[in-house]
Amino acid sequence: MNILSGSQPHPLSGSLDDCVFCDIITGKAQGIVHYRDDDLIVIKNRLNWVPVMLLAMPTTHISQDDLWSSPMFSKLTEVALEMGHKFCPNGFRLLSNFGSEGLQSQSHGHLHVLGGMQLGLYV
């Protein structure tokens, strides 16, 4: 039971067994890597709704909620900012989705780096 909403846990609370991000991190699946260290990785999103769509995440499987309260979050935001400035010098957006109504599709906690064009009010 989710204490905040009174509902069942979100289905994305799953494990790394079916995590596409973990598969990319471990080399089981291909991905274009723009940054990697022992703790973090930044990959190109396979989606292309805007010219620059990067995903910044820890190299260990962690939920979106746990990521935001993790000591690693500060380092993740620094790297995401660095990638945003590198790939989108005229401006970018950092974004996270939480739960199905927030359009979260992956259980592995991550930040989106979006840019490369005038984004308008909403993306």
Side-chain angles (χ1 to χ4, degrees):
M1 182 71 84
N2 184 323
I3 295 171
L4 296 177
S5 68
S7 64
Q8 293 298 315
H10 190 274
L12 292 176
S13 61
S15 71
L16 56 94
D17 292 338
D18 58 354
C19 178
V20 66
F21 293 163
C22 287
D23 287 347
I24 292 169
I25 291 164
T26 61
K28 292 179 187 174
Q30 290 187 337
I32 298 171
V33 177
H34 291 292
Y35 175 91
R36 185 173 190 146
D37 65 23
D38 291 339
D39 301 317
L40 305 173
I41 188 169
V42 177
I43 62 173
K44 182 181 184 306
N45 194 327
R46 65 183 173 96
L47 303 174
N48 58 1
W49 300 333
V50 296
V52 176
M53 292 185 70
L54 305 177
L55 300 165
M57 69 194 77
T59 55
T60 57
H61 191 91
I62 185 172
S63 74
Q64 195 76 312
D65 287 345
D66 289 342
L67 173 61
W68 277 69
S69 61
S70 164
M72 174 138 354
F73 190 71
S74 177
K75 182 178 178 183
L76 181 69
T77 58
E78 287 178 25
V79 170
L81 284 169
E82 180 182 324
M83 295 292 104
H85 288 296
K86 177 179 178 178
F87 289 97
C88 310
N90 294 321
F92 57 95
R93 189 170 289 164
L94 297 181
L95 173 78
S96 279
N97 302 323
F98 292 84
S100 59
E101 288 187 7
L103 298 180
Q104 181 184 0
S105 64
Q106 301 297 319
S107 63
H108 194 123
H110 60 284
L111 284 176
H112 296 260
V113 180
L114 305 170
M117 63 179 277
Q118 176 64 42
L119 295 175
L121 295 176
Y122 303 100
V123 169

